Amino acid sequence: MSASDISRQCDLAIVGGGAAGVLVALQALRGASRALHIALFEPASALAQGIAYATPWPEHLLNVPVGKMSALPDTPDDFLAYLLQVDAFPGRSRDALAADYAPRRLYADYLQARLEQAGAASAARLEVVHAAVLGLQPGTQSQQLTLASGEQWQARQVVLACGNSMRPLPVPGAEALPPGKVVDAWDYDGVRLLAGDGDLAIIGSGLSMADSVVALANAGHRGRIHVLSRHALLPLAHAHGGAATFDPQPLLAMPLRQKLRVLRGHARDAAAQGLPWQAVMDRIRPLGQALWRGLDAADQRRFLRHAVRYWDVHRHRIAEQVHAQVDALERSGQLQRHRARLDTVLALDGTLQVHAHGTNGGLAPLQVSALINATGVETRATAMRNPLVQQLLADGHARPGPHGLGLDTSVEHGQLLDANGQPHPAVQVVGSLRIGTLWESLAIPELRGQAQQAARAAVA
């Protein structure tokens, strides 16, 4: 009997074992009232170590304070309680720890611990299958999954929690550059190995850039770090201070330009009251999805063309100590920002020559020892290097989301929509693949809510 003839069965199949998939499994185990078979498919050897939480290095901190990172919607201080229980920060008071930013590797440990506890107490059984899912054929009674080995599974319900993939380096011929000369920012060990006397170039200036910069600094890098991006906007820092108290609800009915104008006014009012502008962003944080869905298609396109990078640096902020380290490197001249688009990269005598152009014409070529790709998460469905996503699109079982972002899903229940816009009732989507529909769909508050909703439907 060949591998393709073998078929297994489960009640719930979860595709992806990063944070999103583990959150779904955790909620399904907690919510199951009868014996169910839950299968979690993840090719990596460790769970909960997706892109964000796979780093082993202590300088990579969470971008959200400990007190707001619970995996459980009904227990908002659960992550804080876990860190206190395992005594991860001896001598730190509860209040001080709640406001601090923990190393990201501890969050993976936390999710793994909570998953193990839920499994031990659940009526359901969790089976972890360390394999990639390459195909999915939705059906009326069961959903057929095909693994890389050819093995097939039948599932009553499926949750797609595939996680993130990085954009390719935006330059022709990048794949042909010498091995070791181009490193992804998410290759945390690989970035540190670049530290030395030679100059480096980082393409992209967002959160992945900040990760790379602090990693190089902590590994003792002495050369210059050139940061190139179209806007050259660096992530901004969180801030401590009082809370803004304005009513954010009127923003929902406003067109984009009015939204932005009113938000700037709230920021000025906050400053007059001695509050940081960050208090304004925190006030509208729970309305992120509603603000996006309240824009018509034209305004959404306008936002993506003109405002998205400015939104990102104000919305997706970094810990103050990370911002301070990046800022100090720039003030010293070791980090240099270039507002430019990448044109070509040439391999010359063991180095790379980087050609780019800015708003005022071409930049002088940069001679660097290596490049770091920090261009961020790939959001365009058709460009995602995920065989399962491409199979679903090719077979008409899915279609790109609004503006080509992610996969299209129903707003309320996250059901996958086919090429004709019809929902697959037994296939739900959690996480970054819902970005086109919801926009806010990557952070833990959204992930834990979606996971709870998907798990409830699956174990009902």
Side-chain angles (χ1 to χ4, degrees), residues 386-407:
N386 183 317
L388 176 58
V389 170
Q390 297 310 315
Q391 176 265 314
L392 290 169
L393 292 170
D395 290 351
H397 299 312
R399 67 182 186 182
H403 315 292
L405 302 176
L407 297 181

Side-chain angles (χ1 to χ4, degrees), residues 175-343:
E175 300 83 1
L177 292 172
K181 290 297 183 181
V182 178
V183 176
D184 282 346
W186 296 339
D187 179 0
Y188 298 109
D189 291 340
V191 169
R192 289 178 66 97
L193 289 174
L194 298 178
D197 295 316
D199 292 351
L200 299 171
I202 301 177
I203 311 305
S205 60
L207 299 178
S208 297
M209 176 280 304
D211 275 352
S212 297
V213 168
V214 297
L216 291 168
N218 281 273
H221 183 64
R222 296 170 295 279
R224 288 177 296 182
I225 303 172
H226 297 281
V227 175
L228 288 81
S229 78
R230 287 182 299 160
H231 298 92
L233 296 173
L234 303 185
L236 299 173
H238 286 283
H240 297 286
T245 58
F246 67 90
D247 180 8
Q249 291 295 324
L251 288 163
L252 299 178
M254 298 176 187
L256 177 63
R257 286 193 176 93
Q258 187 179 6
K259 277 183 170 70
L260 296 177
R261 186 166 60 249
V262 170
L263 282 174
R264 293 188 187 101
H266 287 312
R268 289 192 295 271
D269 292 343
Q273 299 169 39
L275 299 175
W277 60 261
Q278 289 89 335
V280 174
M281 298 302 293
D282 292 341
R283 181 65 174 164
I284 66 171
R285 172 68 180 87
L287 298 180
Q289 294 181 355
L291 288 167
W292 170 254
R293 299 204 314 267
L295 297 174
D296 62 24
D299 261 352
Q300 288 181 351
R301 288 192 297 270
R302 193 171 291 114
F303 172 83
L304 293 170
R305 280 198 309 270
H306 303 297
V308 64
R309 184 60 187 141
Y310 298 93
W311 172 268
D312 282 346
V313 299
H314 288 84
R315 159 67 186 89
H316 300 286
R317 304 190 298 275
I318 55 179
E320 292 103 317
Q321 53 265 54
V322 174
H323 184 270
Q325 192 170 10
V326 173
D327 184 60
L329 289 170
E330 184 170 30
R331 284 188 283 106
S332 73
Q334 187 177 4
L335 186 152
Q336 299 181 12
R337 266 192 281 177
H338 306 276
R339 185 177 180 181
R341 289 177 181 266
L342 193 61
D343 290 328

Side-chain angles (χ1 to χ4, degrees), residues 381-456:
T382 56
M384 290 179 180
R385 292 174 285 182
N386 183 317
L388 176 58
V389 170
Q390 297 310 315
Q391 176 265 314
L392 290 169
L393 292 170
D395 290 351
H397 299 312
R399 67 182 186 182
H403 315 292
L405 302 176
L407 297 181
D408 208 1
T409 61
S410 62
V411 174
E412 296 302 325
H413 302 292
Q415 294 169 333
L416 182 68
L417 302 185
D418 67 15
N420 297 315
Q422 297 301 309
H424 295 292
V427 182
Q428 291 178 280
V429 182
V430 167
S432 59
L433 287 176
R434 299 188 68 187
I435 186 172
T437 305
L438 300 177
W439 187 250
E440 288 281 2
S441 195
L442 280 75
I444 288 298
E446 283 72 36
L447 291 181
R448 67 192 178 206
Q450 292 176 26
Q452 186 178 62
Q453 181 185 57
R456 284 175 175 170

